[in-house]
Every structure is written in structure tokens, then in C-alpha cells.
Amino acid sequence: MAKGKYDYLFKKLNYNKLPGDAKGKPEYITWPKGSDLEGMKLSFVWSYHNKVGPWGIGGEYGHVHPYGEIFLFTGLDYDNPNRMDAELELSIGDKAETHVIASPSIVVLPAGVPHLPIVAKKVNKPYGFLAISKAGEEKTKELTKREKGFILANNYGDCIRRLEMIDIHRKDGGNADHFFYWNGKKDEGFILNFTWAFHQGTGYWHKDDPHVHPNDEVLVFVGMDPEKPDYLGAEIEFRMGEEQEVHVFDSPTAVVAPKGLVHCPLITRRVDKPYAFTAICLAHEHATTQLGGKEWKG
């Protein structure tokens, strides 16, 4: 098959098994960094979890970064998008405040704020975890000492926000059925916005495509079966560039869309099982110029 001009922008996600000795089925993680994403000042983690106990990553006393980070905790049940059948404890701050996460949530962690470990206290169903870092290279300082245990202070409670997915009431096409959007306009240091969505429809996503953004973007397609991380459950057609070069994939994939590059239409050709999607943009607004003449800012 001839090599396409934009092949290099399509990144198949590769998974590794997470460490840990807890009993249960394997857990999986993928972790593309900036060097994997054409030099974007961004990295992300996507992982599947099903075990009770400490996650076994992030250090015994947690760690800290010189850049901001967003955590997203989600259930994997398409029919119940606002439910997560698990209960976690997350430590935040110098004194390891213990916060409970028992529903889909995001956690906004400014640069320099210590965080982790995470301990899963209850897991009735597997759940997913997305972490978005505002840096292309990992810079982590693992802590060697930190107060542990339940702290009554609540200095970091505002960092945790409910993830409420909206039912779009899609009538046709391949766009989202359940959708969440966040931007960092009110959070210092977060020149970032992203979506989180569940999809099951087929056809065109947007009628006014192709489009272009004034900022870098990565579009990430992942499956919702924690036992088969390499399975997307759908076949996607993605057109790239003014040439409208056609790319087709049916496995978990990240698509890099550098600022100014025309991309889409995006067409879901086939769906065997619902899948999840996030569009991560390096800007406060999801500014889009549709080449059909419409401009939209989210």
C-alpha cells in the first residue's frame, strides 16, 4: 500500500499491563508523550482498572510536577454514562488530604500540587482513567515523605468536579450520544480544553466539515472493553488535509491535528460496540472554522 502524506499523524495506541500483585484480571495502560505526538506540549494516559487496593503507581508518598494535570475518572457502561461503580481514595496536597471519588469526576491539579497515591476501596465494575498533562516530557519528583491518613482540612476539595455527561439526543450520524466538555478558562495555568464522549452511531459526525483550528489538537479513540484494550469496536474514516486524504482505522488511535491543518470529515463506517472519544485542544476555547462558512467557539 502506498504511503500517505499524513500517515505520520495517525498513532496506533500501544498498551502495557499495569504493575501490581492484587488478584484479578490484568489492567492496561497507554501513555503517549509529546515525542509520540509530533512534538505537542502534551501527554496523556489512558488506563483500565478493575482491582481493589493501591494502584501501585505514582510512588508510596505520591509525587509532584512543575506543570498542571487533569485526572478524569469514568465508568465504562454506555447505558449508564454518569455512573462509576467504584470508590477511590485520592491524596492531594502537602498533608495528603484524602478525597473520595465515587462517581465520574475530573480532578484539576495545578502545577506544584502534590498528588497520589490512589487506593481503590471498592470496585463493582471496571472503570477508566484519563490523565492529561500540560507538558510533552515527563518531569516528576517522587516524594520521600508526606503525612498520610485522613486529614480533616479541605483545602483541595474545589479541585474535584463532577463529570456530568449530557445526552445529545443524536438522531443520525456518528457524533456523540453522551458528551462532556471542559475548558481551563477559570483555572490558572490550564490553556487547555477537552471533550469526553461515548459514541455508537454511524455516518458523518459534522455536516459542515472539513474544518481547521488555530491551535494544536489530538483526537483520541479508545475502546470500552477493559479486557481487550486493543479493540476499538468501530471502523473510522478520517480525511486529512486540503487533499482530503482518506485514512481508515479500526483499533484505538490518536490522531494529531497540528494548528492550521485542515482535517475531517470524520465518518464512522461501522460500530460493533460503543467506544469512547476525547478531543484535547491546546487553547482555552475550541475555536473552529468550518470551511462551509461557519465559525464556532466553545
Short mmCIF file of all heavy atoms in Angstrom, two decimals, residues 103-139:
data_model
loop_
_atom_site.label_atom_id
_atom_site.label_comp_id
_atom_site.label_asym_id
_atom_site.label_seq_id
_atom_site.Cartn_x
_atom_site.Cartn_y
_atom_site.Cartn_z
N SER A 103 -18.01 8.69 41.80
CA SER A 103 -18.82 8.92 40.61
C SER A 103 -17.90 9.51 39.55
O SER A 103 -16.79 9.98 39.87
CB SER A 103 -19.98 9.87 40.91
OG SER A 103 -19.50 11.13 41.33
N PRO A 104 -18.29 9.51 38.28
CA PRO A 104 -17.43 10.11 37.25
C PRO A 104 -17.04 11.53 37.65
O PRO A 104 -17.88 12.34 38.01
CB PRO A 104 -18.32 10.09 36.01
CG PRO A 104 -19.22 8.90 36.22
CD PRO A 104 -19.52 8.92 37.69
N SER A 105 -15.74 11.81 37.59
CA SER A 105 -15.22 13.07 38.10
C SER A 105 -14.00 13.49 37.31
O SER A 105 -13.32 12.66 36.69
CB SER A 105 -14.80 12.94 39.58
OG SER A 105 -15.87 12.50 40.39
N ILE A 106 -13.71 14.81 37.36
CA ILE A 106 -12.40 15.29 36.93
C ILE A 106 -11.73 15.92 38.14
O ILE A 106 -12.39 16.41 39.06
CB ILE A 106 -12.47 16.27 35.75
CG1 ILE A 106 -13.15 17.58 36.15
CG2 ILE A 106 -13.14 15.64 34.55
CD1 ILE A 106 -12.94 18.69 35.13
N VAL A 107 -10.40 15.88 38.14
CA VAL A 107 -9.59 16.48 39.20
C VAL A 107 -8.60 17.42 38.53
O VAL A 107 -7.81 16.99 37.69
CB VAL A 107 -8.86 15.42 40.03
CG1 VAL A 107 -8.08 16.08 41.17
CG2 VAL A 107 -9.83 14.37 40.57
N VAL A 108 -8.66 18.70 38.88
CA VAL A 108 -7.78 19.72 38.29
C VAL A 108 -6.62 19.95 39.26
O VAL A 108 -6.81 20.45 40.37
CB VAL A 108 -8.56 21.02 38.03
CG1 VAL A 108 -7.63 22.07 37.42
CG2 VAL A 108 -9.75 20.76 37.12
N LEU A 109 -5.42 19.57 38.85
CA LEU A 109 -4.25 19.63 39.72
C LEU A 109 -3.27 20.68 39.18
O LEU A 109 -2.57 20.44 38.19
CB LEU A 109 -3.57 18.26 39.75
CG LEU A 109 -4.40 17.13 40.38
CD1 LEU A 109 -3.81 15.77 40.03
CD2 LEU A 109 -4.48 17.31 41.89
N PRO A 110 -3.21 21.84 39.80
CA PRO A 110 -2.27 22.88 39.35
C PRO A 110 -0.82 22.43 39.50
O PRO A 110 -0.51 21.51 40.27
CB PRO A 110 -2.58 24.06 40.27
CG PRO A 110 -3.96 23.81 40.79
CD PRO A 110 -4.06 22.32 40.90
N ALA A 111 0.07 23.08 38.77
CA ALA A 111 1.49 22.80 38.88
C ALA A 111 1.94 22.95 40.33
O ALA A 111 1.52 23.86 41.04
CB ALA A 111 2.28 23.78 37.99
N GLY A 112 2.76 22.01 40.78
CA GLY A 112 3.34 22.09 42.11
C GLY A 112 2.51 21.51 43.23
O GLY A 112 2.96 21.51 44.37
N VAL A 113 1.31 21.01 42.93
CA VAL A 113 0.46 20.42 43.96
C VAL A 113 0.74 18.93 44.08
O VAL A 113 0.53 18.18 43.12
CB VAL A 113 -1.03 20.66 43.66
CG1 VAL A 113 -1.90 19.90 44.67
CG2 VAL A 113 -1.35 22.14 43.70
N PRO A 114 1.21 18.44 45.24
CA PRO A 114 1.44 17.01 45.40
C PRO A 114 0.14 16.22 45.24
O PRO A 114 -0.93 16.69 45.65
CB PRO A 114 1.98 16.89 46.83
CG PRO A 114 2.52 18.25 47.15
CD PRO A 114 1.62 19.21 46.44
N HIS A 115 0.23 15.03 44.67
CA HIS A 115 -0.95 14.20 44.49
C HIS A 115 -0.55 12.72 44.41
O HIS A 115 0.61 12.40 44.22
CB HIS A 115 -1.73 14.60 43.24
CG HIS A 115 -0.91 14.64 42.00
ND1 HIS A 115 -0.12 15.72 41.67
CD2 HIS A 115 -0.74 13.75 41.00
CE1 HIS A 115 0.49 15.49 40.52
NE2 HIS A 115 0.14 14.29 40.09
N LEU A 116 -1.56 11.88 44.59
CA LEU A 116 -1.41 10.43 44.71
C LEU A 116 -0.85 10.13 46.11
O LEU A 116 -0.38 11.03 46.80
CB LEU A 116 -0.52 9.85 43.61
CG LEU A 116 -0.98 10.10 42.17
CD1 LEU A 116 -0.04 9.38 41.20
CD2 LEU A 116 -2.40 9.63 41.93
N PRO A 117 -0.94 8.89 46.57
CA PRO A 117 -1.42 7.71 45.85
C PRO A 117 -2.94 7.66 45.68
O PRO A 117 -3.67 8.46 46.27
CB PRO A 117 -0.93 6.56 46.73
CG PRO A 117 -0.88 7.13 48.10
CD PRO A 117 -0.47 8.58 47.93
N ILE A 118 -3.37 6.70 44.86
CA ILE A 118 -4.79 6.37 44.70
C ILE A 118 -4.99 4.95 45.21
O ILE A 118 -4.21 4.06 44.88
CB ILE A 118 -5.23 6.46 43.23
CG1 ILE A 118 -5.15 7.91 42.73
CG2 ILE A 118 -6.64 5.93 43.05
CD1 ILE A 118 -5.47 8.08 41.26
N VAL A 119 -6.05 4.78 46.00
CA VAL A 119 -6.39 3.46 46.52
C VAL A 119 -7.84 3.17 46.15
O VAL A 119 -8.74 3.97 46.44
CB VAL A 119 -6.23 3.39 48.05
CG1 VAL A 119 -6.61 2.00 48.56
CG2 VAL A 119 -4.81 3.74 48.45
N ALA A 120 -8.06 2.05 45.49
CA ALA A 120 -9.42 1.63 45.15
C ALA A 120 -9.98 0.86 46.34
O ALA A 120 -9.49 -0.20 46.71
CB ALA A 120 -9.40 0.75 43.91
N LYS A 121 -11.02 1.42 46.98
CA LYS A 121 -11.62 0.80 48.15
C LYS A 121 -12.69 -0.22 47.77
O LYS A 121 -12.85 -1.25 48.42
CB LYS A 121 -12.22 1.87 49.06
CG LYS A 121 -11.26 2.99 49.43
CD LYS A 121 -10.05 2.47 50.19
CE LYS A 121 -10.40 2.05 51.61
NZ LYS A 121 -9.20 1.70 52.40
N LYS A 122 -13.45 0.10 46.70
CA LYS A 122 -14.49 -0.80 46.20
C LYS A 122 -14.48 -0.75 44.68
O LYS A 122 -14.34 0.33 44.10
CB LYS A 122 -15.87 -0.38 46.70
CG LYS A 122 -16.06 -0.38 48.20
CD LYS A 122 -17.46 0.12 48.56
CE LYS A 122 -17.64 0.22 50.06
NZ LYS A 122 -18.98 0.78 50.41
N VAL A 123 -14.64 -1.89 44.05
CA VAL A 123 -14.77 -1.93 42.59
C VAL A 123 -15.82 -2.99 42.24
O VAL A 123 -15.57 -4.18 42.37
CB VAL A 123 -13.43 -2.27 41.90
CG1 VAL A 123 -13.62 -2.31 40.38
CG2 VAL A 123 -12.36 -1.25 42.25
N ASN A 124 -16.99 -2.52 41.85
CA ASN A 124 -18.04 -3.44 41.41
C ASN A 124 -18.00 -3.69 39.91
O ASN A 124 -18.39 -4.75 39.44
CB ASN A 124 -19.41 -2.89 41.81
CG ASN A 124 -19.58 -2.79 43.31
OD1 ASN A 124 -19.12 -3.66 44.05
ND2 ASN A 124 -20.22 -1.73 43.77
N LYS A 125 -17.54 -2.67 39.17
CA LYS A 125 -17.37 -2.80 37.73
C LYS A 125 -16.08 -2.10 37.33
O LYS A 125 -15.67 -1.11 37.96
CB LYS A 125 -18.55 -2.17 36.97
CG LYS A 125 -19.85 -2.95 37.06
CD LYS A 125 -20.92 -2.27 36.18
CE LYS A 125 -22.22 -3.04 36.22
NZ LYS A 125 -23.26 -2.38 35.37
N PRO A 126 -15.42 -2.55 36.26
CA PRO A 126 -14.21 -1.86 35.80
C PRO A 126 -14.51 -0.40 35.45
O PRO A 126 -15.63 -0.05 35.09
CB PRO A 126 -13.79 -2.65 34.56
CG PRO A 126 -14.41 -4.00 34.73
CD PRO A 126 -15.71 -3.76 35.45
N TYR A 127 -13.49 0.43 35.54
CA TYR A 127 -13.63 1.85 35.23
C TYR A 127 -12.39 2.30 34.46
O TYR A 127 -11.37 1.60 34.39
CB TYR A 127 -13.82 2.67 36.51
CG TYR A 127 -12.69 2.56 37.50
CD1 TYR A 127 -11.67 3.50 37.56
CD2 TYR A 127 -12.63 1.49 38.41
CE1 TYR A 127 -10.63 3.39 38.46
CE2 TYR A 127 -11.60 1.37 39.32
CZ TYR A 127 -10.60 2.33 39.34
OH TYR A 127 -9.56 2.20 40.24
N GLY A 128 -12.48 3.50 33.88
CA GLY A 128 -11.38 4.03 33.10
C GLY A 128 -10.81 5.29 33.72
O GLY A 128 -11.46 5.97 34.52
N PHE A 129 -9.57 5.59 33.36
CA PHE A 129 -8.85 6.75 33.90
C PHE A 129 -8.10 7.45 32.77
O PHE A 129 -7.36 6.81 32.01
CB PHE A 129 -7.87 6.29 34.98
CG PHE A 129 -6.93 7.36 35.46
CD1 PHE A 129 -7.38 8.37 36.28
CD2 PHE A 129 -5.59 7.35 35.11
CE1 PHE A 129 -6.51 9.36 36.76
CE2 PHE A 129 -4.71 8.32 35.57
CZ PHE A 129 -5.18 9.33 36.39
N LEU A 130 -8.32 8.76 32.64
CA LEU A 130 -7.61 9.59 31.67
C LEU A 130 -6.85 10.66 32.44
O LEU A 130 -7.42 11.35 33.29
CB LEU A 130 -8.60 10.24 30.71
CG LEU A 130 -8.05 11.24 29.70
CD1 LEU A 130 -7.19 10.53 28.65
CD2 LEU A 130 -9.18 12.01 29.02
N ALA A 131 -5.56 10.81 32.16
CA ALA A 131 -4.76 11.89 32.74
C ALA A 131 -4.16 12.70 31.60
O ALA A 131 -3.56 12.12 30.68
CB ALA A 131 -3.65 11.34 33.64
N ILE A 132 -4.34 14.01 31.64
CA ILE A 132 -3.83 14.91 30.61
C ILE A 132 -2.81 15.83 31.27
O ILE A 132 -3.13 16.54 32.23
CB ILE A 132 -4.96 15.74 29.99
CG1 ILE A 132 -6.04 14.82 29.39
CG2 ILE A 132 -4.40 16.68 28.92
CD1 ILE A 132 -7.29 15.57 28.93
N SER A 133 -1.58 15.82 30.76
CA SER A 133 -0.51 16.64 31.32
C SER A 133 -0.15 17.77 30.35
O SER A 133 -0.03 17.54 29.15
CB SER A 133 0.74 15.79 31.58
OG SER A 133 0.46 14.78 32.52
N LYS A 134 0.03 18.96 30.90
CA LYS A 134 0.37 20.12 30.10
C LYS A 134 1.87 20.20 29.83
O LYS A 134 2.52 21.22 30.04
CB LYS A 134 -0.12 21.39 30.78
CG LYS A 134 -1.59 21.66 30.65
CD LYS A 134 -1.93 22.11 29.23
CE LYS A 134 -1.42 23.52 29.01
NZ LYS A 134 -0.73 23.74 27.77
N ALA A 135 2.44 19.10 29.36
CA ALA A 135 3.86 19.05 29.04
C ALA A 135 4.10 17.86 28.12
O ALA A 135 3.44 16.83 28.25
CB ALA A 135 4.71 18.92 30.30
N GLY A 136 5.05 18.01 27.23
CA GLY A 136 5.37 16.91 26.32
C GLY A 136 6.34 15.92 26.90
O GLY A 136 6.44 14.78 26.44
N GLU A 137 7.10 16.34 27.94
CA GLU A 137 8.06 15.47 28.60
C GLU A 137 7.68 15.31 30.06
O GLU A 137 7.27 16.28 30.71
CB GLU A 137 9.48 16.06 28.50
CG GLU A 137 10.00 16.19 27.08
CD GLU A 137 11.40 16.78 27.05
OE1 GLU A 137 11.94 17.10 28.13
OE2 GLU A 137 11.95 16.93 25.95
N GLU A 138 7.85 14.11 30.57
CA GLU A 138 7.53 13.88 31.98
C GLU A 138 8.60 14.49 32.87
O GLU A 138 9.81 14.27 32.68
CB GLU A 138 7.43 12.38 32.27
CG GLU A 138 7.05 12.09 33.71
CD GLU A 138 7.19 10.63 34.08
OE1 GLU A 138 7.76 9.86 33.30
OE2 GLU A 138 6.74 10.28 35.18
N LYS A 139 8.16 15.29 33.82
CA LYS A 139 9.04 15.84 34.85
C LYS A 139 8.35 15.60 36.19
O LYS A 139 7.43 16.33 36.55
CB LYS A 139 9.30 17.32 34.61
CG LYS A 139 10.08 17.61 33.33
CD LYS A 139 10.35 19.09 33.15
CE LYS A 139 11.14 19.35 31.88
NZ LYS A 139 11.40 20.80 31.68
#
